Amino acid sequence: MKLLYCTFALEFKHAFGVHGHTRLSTNTVFVRAEEEGVFGYGEACLPEYLGESSAETLNFFKACEPFFKEMTSAELSKNGAHVMDTISDHNNAGKAAIDIAINDLRAKLANKTFREFVGITNSSPMQTSITIGIDSEEKIIQKISEAETFKILKVKLGTADDKGLIRLIRKHSDKPIYIDVNQGWTSKEQALEMLFWLSDQQVVLVEQPMPRGMKNEMRWLTKRSPLPTIADESVKRLKDLVALDGEFSGINIKLMKCAGLTEAMAMIEYCRKYQLKVMLGCMAESSCATSAMAQLMSLADFIDLDAPVLYNNDPFYGITYNEGCVQLNSSHGIGVEPIVQLFHNS
Ligand code: MG
């Protein structure tokens, strides 16, 4: 199997604020895998907080190349993840890019959509949440109105006045809300009081209320919480999920954290076995990686796949949005195609 890569800057429609700083674009690296003249595509989305740079990701791909050149996509679907984990113990986004491309290619060689290829028969559209970022009152009202077609809002808390922010949103919208605290609450008693207050505000779930290290406090909180608690920062890969032991009632799976579709499916299976809720999320990815994750959406309880709507230069055709629902197309593989020339044969 042959691999080509290219770096790309995804440009936001509006400046994007996270963790106290604002950015205008996201670096991403696209991968194209080729076998028998068929192309499979993948993406490593690299927002700064992930700690994986474009240069590091390209070096990782170069380290993988000698192994991949000798193997077919069929062999790689069995051994690729192990080979990549042996080469590097981080680079999860880089691993995800290659794993997505291999899975896209394998399904295309079988003339199937990826979901059919893995035995998922349901292709129904599903509602996704759309994130309303922390901003001024005026901007928040503007964002709520721009998100008009979406039926579920996702709101980031952990601010100086969380209740004030929710009251403000409730003045302008009665849509169900997913809350993401991004580890922002540090007292379990206050967190519990907030969870009960939020449960009266048509909030559906709360993501990562407390810091990753506060394991016993999280177990205490989940046991008493009136709302599902969903792990994000606490769980990257399957081994983190296995180690949770009652900390959360569900997890947010993201391809860039879990090293690709192969491990995401294993994590969903684990969650089903142990009655954990499944949310499928994304980093600020293009339609390439988001469409890959959307192939699994009928296996999930909650969908948070809104990244492509944030950009004005998304270079891939893929999933579409209709009345707040993510819609899959019937193209083979993960259902994506570059709409600009990205890869140059060397
Ligand atoms: Mg989160």
Side-chain angles (χ1 to χ4, degrees), residues 154 156 179-182 207-208 230-233 252 254 257 279 282 304:
K154 184 168 179 181
K156 302 273 191 182
I179 295 289
D180 189 355
V181 189
N182 289 115
E207 205 178 304
Q208 198 72 39
I230 306 291
D232 186 5
E233 287 86 344
N252 184 345
K254 297 178 181 171
K257 291 192 297 180
M279 180 176 204
C282 55
D304 181 28

Side-chain angles (χ1 to χ4, degrees), residues 276-295:
L276 291 161
K277 298 279 185 203
V278 173
M279 180 176 204
L280 299 185
C282 55
M283 304 280 177
E285 300 152 11
S286 78
S287 285
C288 180
T290 316
S291 300
M293 189 54 126
Q295 292 284 317

Side-chain angles (χ1 to χ4, degrees), residues 18-262:
V18 235
H19 302 287
H21 82 282
T22 299
R23 63 181 209 269
L24 301 173
S25 65
T26 308
N27 290 329
T28 198
V29 183
F30 294 113
V31 171
R32 190 182 79 182
E34 181 183 352
E35 193 171 282
E36 298 173 26
V38 177
F39 298 139
Y41 297 100
E43 173 179 7
C45 177
L46 307 165
E48 269 165 42
Y49 63 82
L50 205 62
E52 298 177 38
S53 69
S54 300
E56 230 182 304
T57 303
L58 291 171
N59 283 337
F60 171 69
F61 292 158
K62 285 193 185 106
C64 292
E65 244 168 47
F67 300 92
F68 285 20
K69 233 174 22 196
E70 304 300 323
M71 295 164 89
T72 63
S73 61
E75 287 166 338
L76 281 168
S77 74
K78 289 195 195 88
N79 305 323
H82 175 69
V83 169
M84 290 193 282
D85 281 339
T86 311
I87 291 170
S88 166
D89 59 7
H90 70 303
N91 291 110
N92 287 342
K95 291 171 188 176
I98 292 179
D99 178 84
I100 295 166
I102 293 170
N103 279 303
D104 186 31
L105 180 60
R106 294 262 297 142
K108 281 176 177 161
L109 288 168
N111 290 316
K112 288 181 172 168
T113 62
F114 178 72
R115 56 192 183 276
E116 289 163 352
F117 185 65
V118 295
I120 300 170
T121 50
N122 184 353
S123 317
S124 306
M126 271 183 82
Q127 281 180 10
T128 177
S129 52
I130 186 156
T131 296
I132 306 294
I134 299 168
D135 218 319
S136 64
E137 182 164 342
E138 196 185 329
K139 280 269 174 61
I140 286 176
I141 295 167
Q142 188 197 336
K143 284 177 179 175
I144 291 172
S145 101
E146 282 175 7
E148 200 193 343
T149 58
F150 289 85
K151 307 286 186 267
I152 305 164
L153 303 179
K154 184 168 179 181
V155 178
K156 302 273 191 182
L157 290 188
T159 65
D161 182 15
D162 285 344
K163 287 184 183 173
L165 181 56
I166 296 297
R167 283 192 194 106
L168 168 69
I169 291 170
R170 278 289 170 248
K171 266 197 254 167
H172 301 276
S173 171
D174 59 1
K175 291 175 183 172
I177 294 177
Y178 298 167
I179 295 289
D180 189 355
V181 189
N182 289 115
Q183 319 184 71
W185 298 337
T186 47
S187 148
K188 65 180 196 297
E189 289 82 7
Q190 277 172 9
L192 186 62
E193 193 271 321
M194 270 307 289
L195 289 172
F196 273 100
W197 187 82
L198 290 169
S199 70
D200 290 331
Q201 305 290 324
Q202 231 201 315
V203 163
V204 178
L205 58 86
V206 175
E207 205 178 304
Q208 198 72 39
M210 304 187 77
R212 200 171 49 188
M214 295 182 77
K215 292 170 177 294
N216 289 333
E217 291 83 352
M218 260 321 300
R219 284 189 193 101
W220 182 93
L221 190 63
T222 292
K223 213 184 260 177
R224 293 160 178 80
S225 175
L227 294 170
T229 57
I230 306 291
D232 186 5
E233 287 86 344
S234 289
V235 173
K236 285 185 176 170
R237 302 193 57 176
L238 180 60
K239 62 175 170 40
D240 308 316
L241 170 58
V242 172
L244 276 186
D245 193 22
E247 271 181 68
F248 292 89
S249 38
I251 61 161
N252 184 345
I253 305 174
K254 297 178 181 171
L255 293 174
M256 299 305 133
K257 291 192 297 180
C258 77
L261 284 165
T262 307

